[in-house]
Amino acid sequence: MKMIQDFNFKGIKTIVRVDFNVPLDKKTFVVTDDTRIRGALPTINKIIKDGGSVILMSHLGRPEGKMEKYSLKPVLPVLEKYLGQKVLFADDCLGESAVKMSAALKPGEVLLLENVRFYPEEEGKPILPETATEEEKKAAKAEMKLKQKEFAKKLASYADVYVNDAFGTAHRAHGTTAVIVDYFPKDKIMFGFLINSELAAMDKVLNNPQHPFTAIMGGAKVSDKIMLIENLLNKVDNLIIGGGMTYTFIKAQGGKIGKSLCEEDKLDLALKIIEKAKEKKVNIYLPVDSLNADKFDNEANTNVTAVDAVPDEWLGLDIADKTIKEFSEVIGKSKTILWNGPMGVFEMEKFSKGTTAIAKAIAAATEKGAYSLIGGGDSVAAINKNGLADKVSYVSTGGGAMLEYMEGKKLPGITAIRGE
Ligand code: AMP
């Protein structure tokens, strides 16, 4: 497999799949968080510095056909600011202008193509009326597959080399993330710097962790995290569970959880996880106390009780002090830490203390030499909100993609390049 750092792009045209799926202000269409644009800069800069030219492609949002509000145009000024040069723009990724502009691109120049999802071929999902029969659906799927290949082939024809640096969409088997790879020779495809660093961070934690290794799982539901938890039970020494999923575990063990979030159909599963952890000699840490509210509101009345004694009509929305202390101690003794999911409803100030405390404990452990990997939109938001992004070892840019990779699944965008 070619490595980007060893490749010389001089005089070469490279098409790069980036993840510029950035949030925009609803009224002004100004980019409100440019993290993903900054994430792609090392790859773009390397190609330019070598004397190559860059064609960038990305999706933004979930448009159905061409929709101006999902245009990638708002990315241009941000990109130009960071690159310190003009960026060309083709307003249709398959249009005549895209073909001409990419053909005329000179060394050092950068061209951004309009949202690839303006074409349904990118996602490869056929658009069908609800009344379609099974046979019609099958035929439409087959037809769309062919169209997707044509779509990817045309984009591939713009360049000599393909680089995938869109980690956030690596778990999708889309035209520009996977199918396109078939139209380049094996020695002309590679990952960009962002994907390489994401893979290195995840592989370090999964395959080469220093012990004790502690995973901290939070967020709303057990069902979303079950595959990750199961995979981690083979690797970790400590499993800390917090957030909404706590209460399914507590109820499964006979505790009183009031009106707290609970997945009634996952009670058995929660018991199985506890059992499996025992078998694998993994220490499971569940909260011991709970910060409860009389309604789901930042203005709610609150009380603190044992986690298995939440009063009727109350709901547990955060971990409380004893739990914070216990969890922080475990984190403090860890050498490898993986965090996914908040400890409470951290979007509300009143219930953000637990999540903030865990973020700080991870930062402190990192300072003492632990390796910490943070993933999932909400935990990343909590780290950023507390200004701790540079106090942890790695903050992942791909929520869903990271989750799937850590679950042990194969990601189409990754396997296409690795040739697995
Ligand atoms: P996830 O996307 O699964 O990581 O879940 C994140 C969401 O879980 C956030 O929006 C939190 O507000 C929510 N959450 C965390 N703790 C609780 C809780 N105790 N009760 C209800 N929701 C929670």
Side-chain angles (χ1 to χ4, degrees), residues 218-221 224-225 242-245 247 261 296 316-318 340-347 378:
K221 293 182 184 164
D224 292 342
K225 308 280 162 82
M245 71 170 89
Y247 302 93
L261 200 65
F296 193 83
L317 295 185
D318 197 7
N340 184 300
M343 295 289 103
V345 183
F346 79 111
E347 299 93 333
D378 286 313

Side-chain angles (χ1 to χ4, degrees), residues 11 48 51-53 105-109:
I48 299 173
S53 53
L105 210 58
K106 294 191 196 66
E109 287 186 337

Side-chain angles (χ1 to χ4, degrees), residues 22 123 135 175 226 240 260 267 320 325 348 350 383 385 392:
V22 289
E123 292 182 85
E135 218 152 85
I226 180 63
I240 291 180
S260 307
L267 296 174
K325 188 161 177 279
M348 297 184 202
K350 225 176 211 171
I383 284 284
K385 196 173 135 198
V392 295

Side-chain angles (χ1 to χ4, degrees), residues 120-150:
E121 286 89 337
E122 165 64 356
E123 292 182 85
K125 266 191 272 162
I127 302 160
L128 279 162
E130 273 181 29
T131 50
T133 63
E134 280 310 310
E135 218 152 85
E136 282 168 339
K137 279 185 200 162
K138 225 171 145 186
K141 251 192 194 166
E143 195 194 351
M144 178 50 93
K145 252 209 155 121
L146 288 177
K147 279 174 134 183
Q148 190 181 47
K149 285 189 178 174
E150 283 309 308

Side-chain angles (χ1 to χ4, degrees), residues 373-388:
L373 169 58
I374 322 296
D378 286 313
S379 346
V380 173
I383 284 284
N384 288 336
K385 196 173 135 198
N386 290 290
L388 297 171

